[in-house]
Amino acid sequence: MPTSARPRALRHRVRALAGTLLAAATVLLTAPTASAAAPAPTADDVPTAPIVLVGVTGLRWDDVTTLTTPTLWDLSRDGSIGLVAARSVASRSCPADGWLAVSSGERAADLPADDRTCRTLRDPGEDGAVPGWDDYETSADAESYGARPGLLGDLLADSGTPATGIGPGAAIALADSDGLPVGTHLARPGSTTALTRSVRDALATSQLVVVDAGVLRDPGYATAARGSSTTPDEELGDELPGIADPTDPELPTPGAIVEPTRSAQAQTLDDRIGAVLRATERSGATVLVVSLADSSRATLQLAAALGTAPDGDEYARNLLTSGATRQPGLVQTVDVTPTLLAALDLDDDAPALAGATILPTAGPVTASGRMAVLLDVQQQAQWVTRVSGGFSTRMVLAQAVLFVAAAIILTRKGRSDRRPLRPALHALKIASLALAAAPVTAFLTGLVPWWRAADPRMAFWWTVLAWIALITALALVGPWRRSVLGPAGFVAAVTVGVLVVDACTGSHLVIDTPMGAHRLLAARFYGMSNQAFALLTAAGLLVAVAIADPLVRRGRRVLATVLVAALGLLLVVVDGAPGLGSDFGGPPALILAFALLGIVVSGRRVHWKTLAIILAVGALVVGGFAVLDWMRPPADRTHLGRFFATVLDGGLWDVVYRKLSVNLRVLTNWRYLVLAVFGIALTWIVLAGDRPRRGALMGPRSPLAGLQAAVPLLRPAVLAIGAGLGVGFLINDSGIVVPATGIAVAVPCLVAAAAQWRLENPEPTAVAVDDRSPTGAVVGDGTASATGAVSGASAADADAVRPSASPTPPPPAPGAR
């Protein structure tokens, strides 16, 4: 347990006493001389201003009106305001979860009940312990977030910081690791006048005052009385299950059948918050008002602040933010604890925490403008969760249909006695380009405020279709349309360009878009999400192939290698650099994938030693990013620096275990399984088209035979994409989501290229393959190519050689091995 704060507190007291004695002595010695001045107090002599946390549950800014909640209305005009991502261990947080987050500084939760109700919080009993503390510790031990309930209380006790808690939630927040509240604990008074008096008295003796102002629950989501797992049911007394605190004035009687409305509950909370603010008017205290948990379904909650922030700025007429979100107007529940510790000068004694200090940031000048921003963000966050599932489902089903149609159409021979295939190939090409554009369209929807429409769901789908139509049309009409990889390469380039520009300009499109990071999930608020990384990897390698393949065919390998390496370096920096992508698991995968492709483009072999060196370089790059970020002040660190601090504090296993758990949980998601299985199967069919197997699909007379000759780097590109997505699957905590998302753009682009080639080569041509080449180099109708599998040989530069009409295979092309 930290002990370094105790000498600091003692040192402050000694200095203060010494200053007082010195001032008294000076007055006595210089009394005859009226003009002599007393020494000015030093910074250490000035006590730290107290800080007051007013915690509530379920309160949102759309509950605030001029008449029903005048205190909060005035607070939105005079103070700093923001939204709270209250996500806890589960998708929906209970009142206990929010207070446990304050206690531990990490995501923590109560043990789930069989009926999925939330616990009614109670004040400590005669033994002084927080009711249910054993359950809280059991739940924290079972989760992988490394939460230590009682962390805040232990730090306060070790430093000798006086604190007062009022209400049952405050008892949880200020409890030590044994479940005993630190300092003074008071039951919440029944009247606002008594509450004002209690807070005023507490400020006279305490540096930290925590007030539980109550809960707001939607109808049908009332909390239920619950005993600890070690507490017999009879100890609950006369408490009624299913009723939210029957002694609370929010309910007229314990047996009330009709639950109070949101407006009535918000008015009660507003009265209590007003009582606390009246007590702090002349104290110079900093006041934080935070809604710590949900009222029912997950929604962004309310936050406001008055007074001086830990960095010295004022919470006044602006927005709130934190280093953990880096978004104006948005903070997390886990940001409360670092803020309290920083205000009390205890942040140096605390371990690495998930949150960061809540600070003021610039916003609209007018109060109505600030409120409009918050309500707009809240509405966007709510609606994007409603349309994301439908978008993913429709995209997966459409791609499954495309994969089946592509397998049929691409392998069908265009004989004269059958129906011509050109219309089907044209339709397949357009459909595949449209579906390849769908993933990046999910991010581009963030440029259009569709959630403000009268029918947001319909507006969203029209926005999606419009972006898809625009990208597809440009891919079909541009000068690149004449190349086999041209249209597909254009779609891939748009995908890469959107993600790179967004990462460099603040990650606005990644947040709250269907395939991006959602604010309500509170997993990532900036940088490159796992799905964005998967798209960046797959699309980036396709762009690299589209650039390098024509250069290799013209013999300009050096230039092609340099361009591939430059593109790979750009994507690694954008994806992994702190403040840009801030992605931990992305750079190793990108380095491996682009290194493999670059080696093949240069005409060299890939050995296992080379792979080991590449992986080591990737680990060093990521480690370097993390260390550099960790060296910055804690408030400025990104995910990388905080992860490194967690490792130094011994929390590596918790992070690894959590990632493995998430990977296993999403492994059976049918959407991603469909994309992965169908996409891999179709890719195998297309790439095996020039293999010397029997049958119409894979034989040397397959309609796809010769595609490798047209695009010599096609197979190495697919293998590099597979390697990058495979490493991303192992490192990131999204599991199968990473390869499935990469397939969503890579395979449709591959289908578009194959359809383009079939349109230019309608009749299959016999193609001989060198069986001695590990990559199956084409030596027939086309340019000889050993396309460089991971185990394989360098690409060939030879011109077309004679067709293989003879039963005896011709000699291999120059350069094939």
Side-chain angles (χ1 to χ4, degrees):
M1 197 61 59
T3 58
S4 58
R6 190 185 302 274
R8 181 188 301 179
L10 180 61
R11 186 166 58 251
H12 284 318
R13 295 192 181 97
V14 171
R15 289 181 180 177
L17 179 61
T20 302
L21 294 176
L22 179 61
T26 303
V27 171
L28 293 175
L29 293 175
T30 60
T33 308
S35 60
T42 64
D44 290 336
D45 299 328
V46 180
T48 304
I51 182 168
V52 179
L53 169 64
V54 184
V56 295
T57 294
L59 190 60
R60 307 191 301 258
W61 281 115
D62 55 338
D63 295 317
V64 176
T65 64
T66 310
L67 297 179
T68 59
T69 56
T71 299
L72 290 170
W73 181 266
D74 293 339
L75 189 58
S76 69
R77 267 60 190 157
D78 300 329
S80 298
I81 58 176
L83 297 166
V84 182
R87 172 65 184 261
S88 182
V89 173
S91 59
R92 179 172 61 91
S93 57
C94 289
D97 303 351
W99 288 107
L100 285 170
V102 178
S103 173
S104 63
E106 301 283 351
R107 291 189 185 184
D110 191 4
L111 285 176
D114 294 336
D115 57 1
R116 303 185 65 181
T117 59
C118 295
R119 181 195 301 263
T120 299
L121 303 184
R122 297 179 291 139
D123 287 302
E126 295 181 358
D127 60 352
V130 173
W133 190 258
D134 293 338
D135 290 349
Y136 303 153
E137 289 188 320
T138 301
S139 177
D141 292 339
E143 298 297 334
S144 57
Y145 292 95
R148 293 164 47 192
L151 172 67
L152 176 60
D154 288 337
L155 291 174
L156 294 173
D158 291 342
S159 63
T161 302
T164 299
I166 301 175
I172 298 176
L174 297 179
D176 59 18
S177 55
D178 295 325
L180 300 174
V182 173
T184 304
H185 179 76
L186 305 173
R188 186 176 59 226
S191 68
T192 56
T193 302
L195 179 59
T196 299
R197 187 184 309 111
S198 297
V199 174
R200 186 179 293 120
D201 293 343
L203 287 173
T205 59
S206 301
Q207 286 295 105
L208 172 63
V209 178
V210 179
V211 180
D212 178 1
V215 300
L216 190 159
R217 306 292 292 171
D218 285 330
Y221 289 91
T223 59
R226 190 194 314 177
S228 173
S229 57
T230 59
T231 302
D233 293 340
E234 55 267 19
E235 293 185 18
L236 295 178
D238 297 328
E239 293 186 11
L240 300 177
I243 298 297
D245 192 0
T247 62
D248 197 301
E250 294 176 8
L251 292 175
T253 62
I257 299 176
V258 179
E259 297 182 65
T261 63
R262 285 193 65 91
S263 178
Q265 296 178 74
Q267 185 174 357
T268 300
L269 297 183
D270 186 79
D271 292 340
R272 293 173 180 169
I273 295 171
V276 175
L277 292 180
R278 285 192 294 273
T280 62
E281 287 177 349
R282 299 180 181 179
S283 64
T286 297
V287 182
L288 295 178
V289 179
V290 184
S291 182
L292 300 169
D294 301 310
S295 57
S296 58
R297 56 185 173 85
T299 312
L300 295 177
Q301 303 295 305
L302 171 150
L306 282 173
T308 304
D311 65 347
D313 291 339
E314 290 295 319
Y315 292 122
R317 298 180 179 85
N318 43 35
L319 298 176
L320 295 173
T321 189
S322 78
T325 66
R326 295 177 176 255
Q327 290 193 45
L330 185 67
V331 298
Q332 300 182 89
T333 304
V334 293
D335 293 333
V336 174
T337 307
T339 307
L340 299 179
L341 294 176
L344 298 171
D345 198 24
L346 300 178
D347 48 334
D348 292 338
D349 303 318
L353 299 177
T357 306
I358 299 175
L359 299 172
T361 188
V365 177
T366 63
S368 58
R370 294 191 293 273
M371 185 68 76
V373 169
L374 298 186
L375 293 177
D376 187 64
V377 170
Q378 179 178 315
Q379 185 176 7
Q380 180 188 10
Q382 198 63 46
W383 269 105
V384 76
T385 59
R386 299 177 182 177
V387 301
S388 295
F391 177 86
S392 299
T393 300
R394 287 169 173 80
M395 185 184 72
V396 168
L397 294 178
Q399 295 227 9
V401 172
L402 173 72
F403 296 164
V404 174
I408 297 173
I409 297 173
L410 291 178
T411 57
R412 184 180 176 187
K413 297 181 179 180
R415 297 176 182 173
S416 59
D417 58 340
R418 294 188 179 184
R419 188 174 181 179
L421 283 178
R422 293 191 66 82
L425 288 171
H426 275 295
L428 181 65
K429 175 183 173 182
I430 295 173
S432 59
L433 291 174
L435 285 177
V440 72
T441 296
F443 296 93
L444 290 172
T445 55
L447 295 175
V448 181
W450 52 268
W451 57 90
R452 301 175 189 168
D455 187 350
R457 196 181 304 273
M458 185 62 66
F460 167 77
W461 286 110
W462 279 115
T463 302
V464 169
L465 294 176
W467 278 116
I468 290 177
L470 176 62
I471 297 173
T472 304
L474 292 176
L476 292 171
V477 301
W480 42 77
R481 67 184 185 277
R482 300 181 181 87
S483 170
V484 173
L485 289 178
F490 174 81
V491 175
V494 170
T495 302
V496 172
V498 168
L499 296 176
V500 168
V501 171
D502 183 53
C504 295
T505 55
S507 306
H508 301 292
L509 298 184
V510 168
I511 305 303
D512 274 346
T513 48
M515 296 187 70
H518 296 176
R519 292 183 176 97
L520 290 180
L521 296 180
R524 176 179 285 270
F525 298 98
Y526 58 88
M528 198 73 64
S529 67
N530 288 339
Q531 288 179 297
F533 150 73
L535 295 175
L536 189 73
T537 301
L541 289 165
L542 290 173
V543 172
V545 170
I547 295 173
D549 189 78
L551 295 175
V552 170
R553 291 171 61 80
R554 293 197 297 266
R556 305 186 65 181
R557 289 187 177 276
V558 175
L559 178 59
T561 304
V562 170
L563 293 178
V564 170
L567 178 60
L569 179 61
L570 171 65
L571 298 188
V572 168
V573 172
V574 171
D575 181 69
L580 295 179
S582 303
D583 186 16
F584 179 81
L590 284 168
I591 291 173
L592 174 64
F594 273 90
L596 291 176
L597 182 61
I599 292 172
V600 173
V601 169
S602 68
R604 294 178 173 83
R605 286 179 174 272
V606 178
H607 299 282
W608 291 110
K609 292 182 179 180
T610 306
L611 290 177
I613 294 175
I614 293 173
L615 292 175
V617 171
L620 288 175
V621 170
V622 176
F625 282 151
V627 171
L628 291 175
D629 192 30
W630 172 75
M631 294 175 64
R632 300 195 297 180
D636 298 331
R637 293 173 186 166
T638 66
H639 300 288
L640 298 176
R642 284 195 290 274
F643 171 77
F644 188 73
T646 301
V647 173
L648 294 179
D649 288 333
L652 176 61
W653 171 245
D654 289 330
V655 177
V656 173
Y657 177 78
R658 184 168 66 249
K659 289 179 178 292
L660 291 176
S661 300
V662 175
N663 279 349
L664 293 175
R665 187 164 60 247
V666 301
L667 188 59
T668 56
N669 188 295
W670 71 269
R671 295 187 184 97
Y672 305 117
L673 283 177
V674 167
L675 278 176
V677 173
F678 278 70
I680 293 173
L682 180 61
T683 303
W684 179 72
I685 289 175
V686 172
L687 293 185
D690 55 7
R691 293 292 189 177
R693 296 184 178 90
R694 297 180 181 179
L697 293 182
M698 310 301 173
R701 287 186 175 273
S702 166
L704 293 175
L707 179 59
Q708 295 296 304
V711 188
L713 293 177
L714 187 61
R715 183 176 288 123
V718 173
L719 293 172
I721 292 174
L725 297 180
V727 173
F729 164 77
L730 296 174
I731 295 180
N732 290 285
D733 57 2
S734 293
I736 196 174
V737 175
V738 171
T741 304
I743 286 173
V745 66
V747 175
C749 285
L750 177 63
V751 172
Q756 175 94 349
W757 183 83
R758 281 298 312 273
L759 287 170
E760 297 175 359
N761 301 272
E763 294 295 334
T765 304
V767 176
V769 182
D770 179 14
D771 293 334
R772 294 169 295 175
S773 170
T775 60
V778 177
V779 295
D781 183 35
T783 304
S785 171
T787 54
V790 172
S791 62
S794 60
D797 295 325
D799 297 330
V801 297
R802 57 186 179 275
S804 60
S806 171
T808 304
R817 302 178 185 177

